[in-house]
Amino acid sequence: MAVKPENTFRTGVHRYIKGSGLHHEKMSNPFGSGTADDWYSGPGGDLWVEFKYIPRQPQRGSVKIRKLFSALQLEWLTGRYREGRNVAVIIGCPSGGLILRDEDWELEHVTIEHFNSRVRSRADLAAWIREQVKG
């Protein structure tokens, strides 16, 4: 079975997290949909992350954020955020990924300039994840 690009991207980020001492679980629930892809836990708290991947670095127009999610995913992310949970979305692309917080996953789109100016490397994404839960 072929590995999906999203999972290859996630693995690339997780390579920089291994050995950091934080707890991490891939969430998979065949009986319910929408739960974020990964849960991280450490002395500073929890973090839930939904990973998405676009196969090409955006060059023109805008990135249509909402189209990347199912309705159940949007409902889960927004619901947990409004409960006060630490929730994020990372949209990966070949050069790295963009972190979305504070319900930015509800945006219809973001400009290419915004997207490309905020892309972080896989190592930087892993460092950001560690910072969120290490305290």
Side-chain angles (χ1 to χ4, degrees), residues 27-35:
M27 306 311 295
S28 179
N29 184 349
F31 304 106
S33 299
T35 305

Side-chain angles (χ1 to χ4, degrees), residues 39-91:
W39 172 59
Y40 307 88
S41 178
D46 295 325
L47 173 66
W48 295 86
V49 176
E50 176 67 30
F51 284 90
K52 294 297 179 183
Y53 188 79
I54 54 178
R56 289 188 203 87
Q57 184 80 17
Q59 299 299 315
R60 59 179 180 256
S62 62
V63 178
K64 293 170 179 42
I65 300 295
R66 282 185 62 97
K67 289 191 181 263
L68 298 173
F69 301 92
S70 71
L72 287 173
Q73 287 173 323
L74 288 170
E75 180 182 325
W76 192 95
L77 290 165
T78 300
R80 300 305 70 76
Y81 174 78
R82 291 181 181 172
E83 288 175 351
R85 312 280 181 209
N86 192 8
V87 180
V89 169
I90 297 177
I91 301 175

